[in-house]
């Protein structure tokens, strides 16, 4: 089991998501919940395709977290 960092962004009318450690692995949805489901499916398909092609599966290396700043 590997755990990848997913970045979610509000695009004004929908959400988008991408996985920095899996280049090109992206998804968009009408709401955050749908986007989470779609990016999970995209990750599964991405890894499945890597396996079919005999390519290595990248290890997760990206970390994300909030930083508080005074404004």
């Amino acid at each position: 089991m590997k755990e990848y960092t997913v970045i979610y962004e509000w695009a004004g009318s929908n959400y988008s998501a991408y996985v920095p450690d899996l280049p090109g692995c992206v998804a968009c949805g009408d709401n955050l919940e749908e986007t989470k489901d779609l990016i999970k499916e995209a990750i599964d398909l991405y890894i499945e395709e890597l396996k079919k092609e005999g390519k290595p599966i990248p290890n997760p290396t990206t970390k994300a977290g909030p930083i508080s700043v005074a404004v």
Side-chain angles (χ1 to χ4, degrees):
M1 178 79 60
K2 294 185 180 192
E3 186 173 286
Y4 291 96
T5 297
V6 176
I7 306 299
Y8 299 97
E9 297 177 334
W10 174 245
S13 61
N14 68 315
Y15 278 91
S16 63
Y18 66 96
V19 185
D21 293 319
L22 303 175
C25 188
V26 300
C28 294
D30 291 333
N31 55 55
L32 186 56
E33 212 46 51
E34 178 183 25
T35 306
K36 287 179 179 182
D37 291 341
L38 292 171
I39 197 66
K40 169 71 167 86
E41 183 179 342
I43 292 168
D44 290 340
L45 292 170
Y46 191 102
I47 291 172
E48 183 180 310
E49 191 61 30
L50 289 175
K51 288 179 180 178
K52 280 184 193 175
E53 294 176 6
K55 294 182 179 177
I57 299 168
N59 287 319
T61 59
T62 301
K63 304 291 182 217
I67 299 292
S68 297
V69 296
V71 292

